[in-house]
Amino acid sequence: GKTRIREKMQTDMEGKLRFNFDVPLRSRRFTLIAEGRDGNGGRRVVVPLNLNREVNADMQLMPEGGSLVAGLLSKTGFKAVGEDGKGIDVNGTILDSKGKQVAAFQSTHKGIGSFVFTPVSNETYTAKVSLPKGAIKSYGLPAIKPSGMVLTVNSIPGRDSIILSVQATADIINTNSSYSLIGQSGGKVCFASTVKFKDGSPVINGRVAKSKFPSGVARFTLFNNTGEPIAERIIFIDHHDRLHIKLTTDKPKYDLNDSVNLDISVTDNDSKPVQGSFSLAVTDDSQVKTDSINVPDISSYMLLQSELKGNIEEPGYYFNDPTPETDLRLDNLLLTQGWVAYDWTRVFDKTSQPKYKAERGFEVSGSVTKASGKPIPGLKISLLSTKKPVLFMDTVSNSLGRFTFTNLQPTDTPAFLVQMKDNKTRMFEARLNVDDFTPAATAGMYVPNLIPWYVNSDTTVLNFNRQNIALQREAEKMRFPAGSNVLNEVVIKARKIIKGSKFFAGVGTEPDLVLDEKDMLKAGKLTLEDVLLKNVKGFGAKMFPCSKPVGINYMVYCCPAVIYIDGMYIGSIYTPPPSGNSVADFYGFQQSYLQNITAEDVRGIEVFTRQGIGCYTIIEVTTWSKQGVYIKRMHGRYLYRPMPVTWSKQFYKPKYTAKPDPLFDLRSTVQWQPDVVTDEQGKARLWFKLKSKKAAYTLVLQGTDLDGHTGGIRKKLS
């Protein structure tokens, strides 16, 4: 965040500007902010400056199987990247501690490559690397293990078997122990075998049929007799079973503003029709750059990218033109970026159940238990909708205390009151639990550092932005014709209103913060204490030194919190203990209230802080019951709000339209249709309209069938 340079400069006759400044060694990113005047008013341009100094290039070396073991032949992968995170071409040698060369290497694609050598015990090795601009750097190889095992896996293109090799040092061979070799793909075990060294041989070789594995990444892991992984290697298996898609248009050439009828046909490797779900994108080539060779698609993501760590540059390169050279480079990619952690206990735990069950319909379910957690069977449960349409149902809990209401009519924003009904003796000991929706955790996705369009732009990006700028200017002329006077912006402020509130912080005062019904709805089952902790800045239990004796109290920063419920001070019904710390006791009294009231009981919250000496914060809580501090939770009831239902919509799509002005037809995406579904014959038909100006188009259709096979196609249209 520090300013390194601030100067006034002037562009030359060509509008160019040149300057230089010193860069601290530890800094990687800078931002250039250029502000100036060109006769049209002030202009401001922000340009990220991402440094890529060769001296800071990084290279990682990763032995096949996990470790370098003394005396065992090892294949080692490497990847070199610059400061910008992209691969750089390197070459070099591997030297031992005496400076003797034991191997040489050279990257083959995007800074990735591999080499083979046999490490020696009690030796250290260094990679001497030559960088693209001539600089030389050294990187240490991983430490050599005196004892261990090396797993080698080769998937040679064109052959129907995977070649496996397990090497071990003499001390391991002499133990006569057995090991397990597991091969899995997509979370399923596809191969398992016992590995045991016989007759003192240090190497075990074997073959596994590729047909045992589906297309994609296959992971082989070697375990010892206690189930601990020793070595691991992943490879790529390609049965070339991706879907075959054919796009047929009704004309070879099209006029401006013409309609295109598109027939889609999808088959598998055996020419059988495929039923599946696909998406279609039609883009203008003059505004959207189409790299048909290296661009990622659904196949490269499902089969490769989702299984590897780090950024994969040009993933489509490994699939679109398969050759022995690209297969070797793909294997090196897996050797370097294929270290993905996997929880093997889940593979062998056959009793495990899916964390998220399939939703076959709209239902409400839950359980009733005693305070001890023991289920209560035979308890009557009723369901009442609190919104239209009116619905009432009842059922009885089963032997496990479970209950389910099925065949419910889906509504937009439903809400249900679930209530227990039974004799008086069991009502108070029963606990009602409703299965709330828990969303699945989402993994973070890699997002590359985006460079503004005006930095090193190609003609495609420039065309897109120039046309959009022209469109904006023309739109401004239509909105504000010549001679128009544009009024300044007026900001209207209004506060939320809580119905039935008894907020009385003072005459003419307004609350600093208001949480209304919508906020309470979002809070769901949170306690009142959690709602305040989450939404009121500075709120919490803190030491209150002004009291005697010193104790804990709810405060907002340094101001004590005075809590009212429906206009009644929470301390109005508090009875101090005859002895002991009354301050701590009062805090516990307040906490019991805030923890026993949930957001569902609250209609709104208003917060007001009186600043200055002797400051305090008033928190007014308005409940639905309006019973103030005498509010009681309704036992045996549960207000359940399931996820809102979003209905699919269809919009008007005219077949014939009035001829538009070509100036305003600047769409970069002519058609986007994410719900193309083929029928049992593998067929689908759709249509779309072209632009009213001359352009070339690219059609991209990709998707998957019901068995997970993927496919995609690109087609040019003029």
Side-chain angles (χ1 to χ4, degrees), residues 79-81 85-88 109-111 294 310-318 333 337:
K79 180 171 183 178
V81 296
K86 296 182 179 180
I88 55 176
H109 184 66
K110 301 298 181 182
N294 301 324
N311 177 38
I312 302 176
E313 299 181 57
E314 301 179 353
Y317 166 82
Y318 302 100
L333 173 70
Q337 294 186 228

Side-chain angles (χ1 to χ4, degrees), residues 546-597:
C546 298
S547 62
K548 294 182 181 180
V550 176
I552 298 177
N553 191 21
Y554 284 115
M555 303 183 70
V556 177
Y557 294 112
C558 297
C559 302
V562 183
I563 303 173
Y564 289 83
I565 300 179
D566 296 323
M568 300 177 65
Y569 174 48
I570 197 172
S572 60
I573 60 172
Y574 170 68
T575 303
S579 61
N581 190 340
S582 60
V583 176
D585 185 73
F586 180 62
Y587 164 71
F589 170 78
Q590 293 185 97
Q591 187 181 44
S592 66
Y593 256 89
L594 300 189
Q595 291 182 351
N596 282 287
I597 300 175

Side-chain angles (χ1 to χ4, degrees), residues 487-661:
L487 301 178
N488 293 328
E489 180 183 4
V490 177
V491 180
I492 301 176
K493 296 182 179 180
R495 74 177 183 90
K496 301 176 182 178
I497 302 297
I498 307 299
K499 295 182 180 179
S501 170
K502 297 184 179 180
F503 177 76
F504 61 98
V507 179
T509 59
E510 296 287 343
D512 304 315
L513 173 68
V514 178
L515 303 176
D516 61 7
E517 297 176 25
K518 293 183 179 179
D519 298 313
M520 296 301 104
L521 183 62
K522 292 179 181 179
K525 304 294 180 182
L526 290 180
T527 66
L528 179 55
E529 183 184 43
D530 290 335
V531 172
L532 295 174
L533 289 171
K534 184 178 180 179
N535 295 279
V536 181
K537 292 183 178 180
F539 177 82
K542 304 175 183 179
M543 295 299 297
F544 190 46
C546 298
S547 62
K548 294 182 181 180
V550 176
I552 298 177
N553 191 21
Y554 284 115
M555 303 183 70
V556 177
Y557 294 112
C558 297
C559 302
V562 183
I563 303 173
Y564 289 83
I565 300 179
D566 296 323
M568 300 177 65
Y569 174 48
I570 197 172
S572 60
I573 60 172
Y574 170 68
T575 303
S579 61
N581 190 340
S582 60
V583 176
D585 185 73
F586 180 62
Y587 164 71
F589 170 78
Q590 293 185 97
Q591 187 181 44
S592 66
Y593 256 89
L594 300 189
Q595 291 182 351
N596 282 287
I597 300 175
T598 68
E600 292 179 338
D601 302 316
V602 177
R603 189 168 192 170
I605 300 174
E606 295 156 293
V607 181
F608 173 79
T609 299
R610 177 80 66 183
Q611 302 291 347
I613 301 176
C615 69
Y616 58 88
T617 297
I618 292 179
I619 300 177
E620 174 66 41
V621 180
T622 303
T623 68
W624 289 98
S625 67
K626 300 180 182 180
Q627 295 179 357
V629 294
Y630 301 104
I631 180 175
K632 294 182 180 180
R633 296 297 313 281
M634 296 298 293
H635 293 281
R637 290 187 179 183
Y638 193 102
L639 183 60
Y640 176 62
R641 293 188 177 97
M643 290 287 290
V645 177
T646 301
W647 303 102
S648 60
K649 300 177 181 179
Q650 293 185 352
F651 299 93
Y652 171 62
K653 184 179 180 182
K655 187 172 184 179
Y656 304 101
T657 58
K659 188 176 181 179
D661 188 342

Side-chain angles (χ1 to χ4, degrees), residues 7 272 368 690:
E7 293 185 12
K272 295 181 179 179
V368 285
L690 298 179

Side-chain angles (χ1 to χ4, degrees), residues 5-11 17-20 32 35:
I5 179 175
R6 179 182 283 120
E7 293 185 12
K8 291 184 177 181
M9 308 174 188
Q10 185 170 337
T11 53
L17 194 69
R18 182 183 296 274
F19 64 96
N20 59 73
L32 167 66
E35 296 179 295

Side-chain angles (χ1 to χ4, degrees), residues 52-59 80-82 88-93 105 127-139:
N52 195 15
R53 293 162 292 190
E54 192 171 59
V55 68
N56 291 336
D58 180 59
M59 178 171 168
V81 296
I88 55 176
D89 294 327
V90 296
N91 62 81
T93 56
F105 60 86
K128 189 176 182 181
V129 183
S130 297
L131 300 174
K133 295 182 180 179
I136 297 177
K137 291 189 69 176
S138 295
Y139 302 90

